[in-house]
């Protein structure tokens, strides 16, 4: 998903479950990767220390399992994205191919950073998250439809109600989630106000 101002009504695709609670932003993208000049390549480093030992050998982690390759929906537990406010965490998740995140709850700043790059973040109760994760673990090829308008995620006749921050939902549905793009679209109006301000008039 590229960063643009297109309205986002739904996300479709397979899912990847990452179990566990209180997964903070340092676990999502370790601090040493914050020195990058751009966000390019961060998708390869997502959950780096959770996935690999110091010698480069793999640990057991869903992101290392071929059966979840190509997933576009991340299903997580409680308080996901807590900790520091680094925007690199949602950037790394997005660049790993994820277009939406569903969990029990999220760090507030993390959720806001996700919205600002067009990643819907929705919540469900503990039992619903456990049900979703089990569905994916049992059959990673299941395709889900996440609908922002109805706030549901569905697959194979199963539909689960979700919740979502109302302001984030409005921004995504209305295509105003990219605040920089909205600013640039209103450049003429900004310039008009600029010209009317006494302090900017030529003397």
């Amino acid at each position: 998903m590229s960063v643009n101002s297109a309205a986002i009504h739904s996300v479709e695709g397979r899912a990847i479950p990452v179990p566990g609670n209180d997964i903070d932003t340092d676990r999502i993208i370790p601090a040493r990767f914050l020195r990058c000049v751009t966000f390019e390549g961060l998708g390869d480093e997502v959950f780096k220390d959770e996935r690999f030992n110091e010698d480069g050998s793999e640990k057991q982690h869903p992101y290392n399992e071929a059966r979840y390759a190509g997933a576009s929906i991340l299903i997580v537990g409680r308080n996901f994205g807590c900790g520091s406010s680094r925007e690199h965490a949602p950037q790394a998740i997005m660049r790993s191919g994820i277009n939406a995140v569903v969990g029990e709850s999220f760090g507030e700043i993390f959720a806001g950073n996700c919205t600002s790059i067009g990643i819907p973040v929705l919540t469900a109760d503990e039992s619903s998250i456990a049900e979703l994760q089990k569905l994916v673990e049992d059959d990673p090829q299941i395709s889900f439809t996440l609908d922002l308008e109805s706030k549901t995620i569905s697959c194979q006749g199963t539909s689960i109600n979700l919740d979502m921050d109302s302001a984030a939902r409005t921004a995504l549905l209305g295509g105003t989630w990219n605040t920089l793009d909205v600013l640039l679209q209103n450049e003429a109006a900004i310039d008009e106000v600029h010209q009317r301000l006494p302090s900017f008039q030529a003397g």
Side-chain angles (χ1 to χ4, degrees):
M1 178 184 297
S2 60
V3 178
N4 54 51
S5 58
I8 299 171
H9 295 271
S10 63
V11 175
E12 296 186 5
R14 295 186 295 107
I16 177 171
V18 174
N21 299 320
D22 304 312
I23 296 178
D24 62 29
T25 53
D26 190 56
R27 292 171 64 186
I28 296 170
I29 186 71
R32 63 185 180 278
F33 296 111
L34 272 60
R35 294 174 292 182
C36 61
V37 178
T38 71
F39 297 123
E40 298 299 327
L42 282 186
D44 294 333
E45 316 303 343
V46 69
F47 296 112
K48 187 74 170 189
D49 293 342
E50 305 287 299
R51 297 166 57 197
F52 299 98
N53 295 302
E54 289 186 6
D55 63 2
S57 58
E58 289 189 354
K59 297 180 181 180
Q60 186 174 353
H61 191 277
Y63 262 78
N64 289 338
E65 297 186 39
R67 62 185 182 144
Y68 297 129
S72 56
I73 299 172
L74 181 62
I75 303 176
V76 298
R78 183 174 63 252
N79 200 27
F80 185 82
C82 57
S84 66
S85 61
R86 65 189 65 168
E87 58 183 326
H88 296 67
Q91 285 281 352
I93 287 172
M94 180 182 73
R95 292 168 193 277
S96 73
I98 297 300
N99 294 332
V101 190
V102 178
E104 193 176 339
S105 62
F106 296 90
E108 183 177 356
I109 296 176
F110 171 84
N113 285 339
C114 282
T115 300
S116 70
I117 59 174
I119 298 179
V121 170
L122 298 97
T123 59
D125 58 38
E126 183 178 5
S127 62
S128 295
I129 293 300
E131 179 183 354
L132 286 170
Q133 290 190 333
K134 188 175 188 308
L135 280 170
V136 179
E137 290 167 358
D138 290 345
D139 184 3
Q141 297 306 310
I142 289 178
S143 182
F144 291 87
T145 297
L146 191 157
D147 190 313
L148 272 64
E149 296 193 28
S150 63
K151 292 187 292 186
T152 59
I153 185 169
S154 56
C155 71
Q156 298 181 346
T158 297
S159 182
I160 292 176
N161 292 325
L162 305 173
D163 200 3
M164 186 178 189
D165 177 81
S166 59
R169 179 170 173 265
T170 297
L172 290 163
L173 289 173
T176 59
W177 49 269
N178 185 347
T179 54
L180 176 58
D181 190 66
V182 171
L183 182 67
L184 292 174
Q185 288 179 14
N186 289 278
E187 186 174 5
I190 294 169
D191 185 62
E192 191 272 332
V193 172
H194 171 92
Q195 296 301 322
R196 285 193 287 108
L197 292 174
S199 59
F200 288 101
Q201 290 179 355

